[in-house]
Amino acid sequence: MCYMARHLLGLVLTLSGHKIMLTTIIYRSHLCDNVAVKSLEGMVASANLKNGMADVTGILLFNGTHFFQLLEGPEDQVKAIYRTICEDKRHYNVVELLCDYAPARRFGKVGMEIFDLREHDRDEVLQTILDKGTSRYQLTWNDRALQFFRTFVEATEKENYFEIPPADSWEFIPTGSARHADPQLAFKDADCGFAFQPIIDPLSQEIVSVEALVRTAGGGSPKEYFDRLSGDELYQADLDSKKVAFALAKDLGLSEQTLAINLLPMTLVNIPDASHKLLQMIEQNGLVPEQVIVEFTENEVISQFSAFTQSVRDLKASGISVSIDHFGAGYAGLQLLARFQPDRIKISQELIRDVHKSGPRQAIIQALIKCCASLEIAVSVVGVEKAEEWMWLESAGIFHFQGHLFAEPCFCGVPAVAWPEKKTAL
Ligand SMILES: Cc1cc2nc3c(=O)[nH]c(=O)nc-3n(C[C@H](O)[C@H](O)[C@H](O)COP(=O)(O)O)c2cc1C
């Protein structure tokens, strides 16, 4: 069956009553140094056949270093081919730029065609690409997919292509061992415990701060701890628990360390004199307010905004700094920054997960970094689990990290940190 007939069929085909969605994926990647450009011809020929059989069409641009490919076709087939492409060892740093749906194919003539930008005059390239279009309506640059072509051909985003090395070029080996608090002290009169997790600057091998994360007295999750509390009991318990956090911090030898604690914004509002009580706890444990960061989560803050800003005034006046935790996981992050500027934001794990593979996440994080730099707000990220995530974020200009890649929270103790060590070539 010829391509056009196959595509028409693809568009109207229904499978178990579901219309097959015409899906577009665009990615860019980097050719591996050890791959000869000549060898790409064979790869393209077999890809063309495979795409044809899967009813997938598209176009591949190559500029001598980077690939840029658009794949179009039924969703399952496009995604299956994209998964194999991501695993291909001939290229690396594969970043998905767009995954979208369209009414018609843009490049429906061939399974896959390669277009070497070095063989064409730059001014003609974009017109030539447009001429290859098979859309029923003439291709226009209003189309997001085509805008990505223009950006690639004109290389306007090139400074944002971070060429991160493979994950296994680093080793993460814990240095030293965890320190634990005296169990007698940890549980004395307490109905809760704390796990500590460092926020680190991996390349300068520095612990920037240590966060105290609430647990039940037996080490159970924060949810377990909070589920047992109700109404105002919740806020009183939230405040009182910080006594345990500071006492543990003192026993763990964190007196010289910046210490992050979490507070519900309504604790400061509902408990009379809460800031003053917090200051007393800090002093009783030989700590100073300037070394304490109070972290609030975005959702809680925005729903009670004016009460929140009122209570923060007292904290700031005493020398305590303020951070917004899990930034980007809530629903009003940017609006929040317009109305209130904390000393630090901690970007949510939801936003940084697999950031090295995702164009949208990269764009959002770069914009956040730029925004926070203009406002002199420090930026750190939480929930870093993969070496590639860390490398991409370092390249983007983030230097403070918290996550299992470096150290898991340690109950009533401070974990050893696995600092990254570059593997030396044998
Ligand atoms: C930049 C680049 C683009 C590719 N595009 C396609 C493609 O459109 N379709 C395809 O089947 N394979 C494509 N491949 C090859 C696949 O990654 C993979 O090697 C191939 O599907 C495996 O086929 P085989 O198991 O039959 O050898 C591409 C590879 C690279 C490096």
Side-chain angles (χ1 to χ4, degrees):
M1 199 186 316
C2 79
Y3 275 108
M4 285 316 282
R6 200 192 282 273
H7 302 155
L8 282 174
L9 186 65
L11 274 178
V12 292
L13 246 187
T14 53
L15 197 65
S16 324
H18 297 294
K19 189 164 183 287
I20 293 173
M21 295 296 284
L22 185 62
T23 301
T24 311
I25 287 185
I26 296 183
Y27 72 85
R28 70 170 144 73
S29 64
H30 195 277
L31 177 73
C32 291
D33 287 345
N34 58 355
V35 176
V37 174
K38 265 232 129 311
S39 70
L40 297 178
E41 284 168 20
M43 186 269 292
V44 170
S46 88
N48 201 359
L49 281 176
K50 284 186 71 179
N51 289 9
M53 283 186 311
D55 193 24
V56 169
T57 51
I59 186 164
L60 174 70
L61 309 189
F62 179 60
N63 66 8
T65 314
H66 296 103
F67 293 109
F68 174 99
Q69 189 171 19
L70 175 144
L71 296 161
E72 304 179 294
E75 186 164 23
D76 290 350
Q77 278 95 312
V78 167
K79 289 195 171 163
I81 286 179
Y82 182 57
R83 277 195 295 277
T84 21
I85 293 175
C86 288
E87 297 300 315
D88 198 309
K89 296 276 175 271
R90 285 169 287 200
H91 64 166
Y92 64 103
N93 283 334
V94 182
V95 177
E96 185 180 308
L97 301 173
L98 172 141
C99 178
D100 205 355
Y101 303 91
R105 290 175 198 254
R106 296 169 185 87
F107 302 100
K109 278 203 199 102
V110 279
M112 201 256 257
E113 182 172 345
I114 189 162
F115 193 84
D116 193 331
L117 299 182
R118 296 168 302 171
E119 292 165 9
H120 297 80
D121 184 317
R122 193 183 264 204
D123 293 338
E124 288 168 19
V125 164
L126 291 169
Q127 191 54 48
T128 316
I129 291 170
L130 282 183
D131 292 344
K132 287 179 184 292
T134 56
S135 173
R136 220 160 17 117
Y137 306 102
Q138 207 194 347
L139 295 180
T140 71
W141 293 111
N142 293 333
D143 182 33
R144 278 184 69 221
L146 292 181
Q147 291 288 4
F148 275 110
F149 272 87
R150 188 205 293 270
T151 306
F152 181 76
V153 170
E154 292 177 352
T156 44
E157 276 281 317
K158 215 166 172 192
E159 72 277 14
N160 294 327
Y161 297 2
F162 304 142
E163 309 299 0
I164 57 171
D168 63 5
S169 50
W170 294 90
E171 275 178 312
F172 297 84
I173 301 166
T175 316
S177 47
R179 289 198 311 280
H180 292 277
D182 174 356
Q184 291 304 317
L185 173 118
F187 298 108
K188 199 172 138 223
D189 304 330
D191 70 341
C192 68
F194 277 84
F196 289 82
Q197 188 181 31
I199 292 100
I200 64 161
D201 181 338
L203 293 184
S204 65
Q205 301 215 344
E206 185 197 340
I207 293 179
V208 181
S209 58
V210 178
E211 182 177 0
L213 299 147
V214 75
R215 299 286 185 264
T216 64
S221 71
K223 184 174 181 317
E224 256 177 78
Y225 174 71
F226 283 113
D227 278 355
R228 292 185 318 197
L229 304 163
S230 61
D232 278 352
E233 207 188 17
L234 176 76
Y235 303 117
Q236 190 63 56
D238 184 34
L239 183 65
D240 289 348
S241 71
K242 301 314 175 274
K243 273 187 223 149
V244 183
F246 293 132
L248 277 168
K250 183 183 172 194
D251 193 60
L252 287 164
L254 299 174
S255 305
E256 300 296 312
Q257 192 73 66
T258 302
L259 206 62
I261 55 158
N262 295 275
L263 259 195
L264 299 168
M266 284 298 104
T267 299
L268 286 180
V269 177
N270 290 345
I271 306 292
D273 226 7
S275 319
H276 182 65
K277 286 175 183 156
L278 195 66
L279 282 174
Q280 279 180 330
M281 293 177 201
I282 292 171
E283 279 162 21
Q284 276 159 10
N285 288 288
L287 305 168
V288 292
E290 284 74 8
Q291 76 184 104
V292 176
I293 305 175
V294 174
E295 297 187 357
F296 299 98
T297 59
E298 189 190 3
N299 274 357
E300 293 158 355
V301 170
I302 205 75
S303 61
Q304 304 279 354
F305 190 72
S306 46
F308 168 73
T309 43
Q310 285 284 329
S311 48
V312 159
R313 230 180 21 191
D314 295 341
L315 286 185
K316 298 282 317 206
S318 71
I320 293 175
S321 41
V322 170
S323 167
I324 300 295
D325 203 1
H326 304 294
F327 191 88
Y331 54 88
L334 295 179
Q335 189 200 337
L336 177 63
L337 275 196
R339 295 166 75 186
F340 164 80
Q341 295 80 46
D343 301 289
R344 168 177 296 274
I345 62 163
K346 293 172 88 176
I347 301 179
S348 151
Q349 181 180 32
E350 303 294 315
L351 270 183
I352 62 105
R353 188 174 294 133
D354 283 331
V355 61
H356 55 292
K357 296 186 202 167
S358 161
R361 284 159 198 266
Q362 294 182 1
I364 292 165
I365 288 166
Q366 279 170 321
L368 266 182
I369 293 171
K370 197 156 180 281
C371 168
C372 288
S374 305
L375 296 169
E376 301 296 352
I377 295 173
V379 177
S380 54
V381 293
V382 291
V384 183
E385 290 178 351
K386 294 183 183 165
E388 296 99 321
E389 291 167 348
W390 162 62
M391 287 187 279
W392 189 91
L393 292 160
E394 275 276 358
S395 311
I398 291 179
F399 308 117
H400 296 168
F401 298 85
Q402 185 174 3
H404 288 203
L405 180 66
F406 305 107
E408 291 184 23
C410 175
F411 184 56
C412 293
V414 182
V417 177
W419 302 107
E421 294 287 347
K422 192 103 178 112
K423 280 190 201 163
T424 43
L426 292 175

